[in-house]
Amino acid sequence: MSFMRSLEDILSNYDHGPEDIIEILHEVQSRFNHIPKEAIEIIHRKTHIPKSRIYAIATFYKAFSLKPRGEKIIRVCMGTACHLKGAPSIVDEIKKQLGISPGEVTKDKKFSLELVNCVGSCSMAPVVVIDDKYHGQMTRQKIRKLLKQDSEGGILHEV
Ligand code: FES
């Protein structure tokens, strides 16, 4: 299905009222793995919601991304507790293993790396969240193992 058809398909499910914008953005995010600029333009034309408002919503919620994301999102908590317990070293290991920096996506579009503020599990610090699953007491060795499991076709399990 073409981009335009996909978008029309999503928009056809709504009345185009301002109250629908978050639901529309959710669908766009899940269909395209991000919210393309062109989609914002089209949503604006159909709903008459100002583009600035759509951008504000798309950048406010962490569920949305204006840049393409990988199939799996690796979020490293950089809150104080995690930072003190070695989060920067975990980030270095991920960078080394995947060849990407925070905010980037691997070439095969499999992983995104993001740095986030406290995820509310400080007692498990340092914490890495992979696709909403929390992995605590993270170490360089553990993250290497998790990434290796995945590249061998396994599912990312808690270790
Ligand atoms: S600082 Fe990382 S979970 Fe709170």
Side-chain angles (χ1 to χ4, degrees):
M1 195 185 287
S2 73
F3 172 77
M4 197 58 203
R5 280 287 308 277
S6 282
L7 205 54
E8 277 171 1
D9 187 41
I10 292 171
L11 288 164
S12 68
N13 296 324
Y14 299 93
D15 293 334
H16 302 166
E19 66 285 354
D20 296 324
I21 186 65
I22 291 185
E23 286 304 312
I24 293 172
L25 290 177
H26 267 299
E27 278 207 46
V28 172
Q29 174 73 44
S30 77
R31 183 95 45 116
F32 303 107
N33 227 2
H34 74 299
I35 299 176
K37 256 193 198 150
E38 301 82 347
I40 293 186
E41 181 63 45
I42 294 164
I43 295 168
H44 159 67
R45 270 192 259 138
K46 296 268 186 193
T47 62
H48 304 293
I49 297 169
K51 276 191 268 182
S52 58
R53 172 102 186 102
I54 304 173
Y55 271 108
I57 295 170
T59 50
F60 180 77
Y61 293 100
K62 78 171 189 189
F64 302 138
S65 171
L66 297 177
K67 288 202 279 186
R69 277 177 167 162
E71 288 162 37
K72 289 193 163 64
I73 303 171
I74 303 172
R75 295 190 172 96
V76 181
C77 176
M78 295 301 275
T80 308
C82 289
H83 199 278
L84 289 174
K85 291 212 168 173
S89 151
I90 307 295
V91 175
D92 285 345
E93 187 62 34
I94 298 170
K95 281 162 87 173
K96 189 170 142 197
Q97 296 299 320
L98 299 181
I100 53 170
S101 293
E104 294 180 347
V105 182
T106 53
K107 281 201 183 91
D108 59 6
K109 308 246 184 296
K110 220 166 171 187
F111 298 102
S112 292
L113 174 59
E114 297 180 2
L115 305 184
V116 293
N117 292 325
C118 179
V119 293
S121 298
C122 306
S123 62
M124 292 165 60
V127 179
V128 173
V129 184
I130 302 175
D131 279 349
D132 298 327
K133 183 166 172 131
Y134 285 52
H135 301 269
Q137 279 89 40
M138 190 50 68
T139 61
R140 291 182 85 120
Q141 194 191 4
K142 274 188 183 180
I143 195 68
R144 256 201 316 273
K145 205 167 159 189
L146 278 172
L147 296 172
K148 188 160 174 269
Q149 269 178 7
D150 189 73
S151 65
E152 286 170 354
I155 298 165
L156 289 168
H157 294 295
E158 183 103 38
V159 284

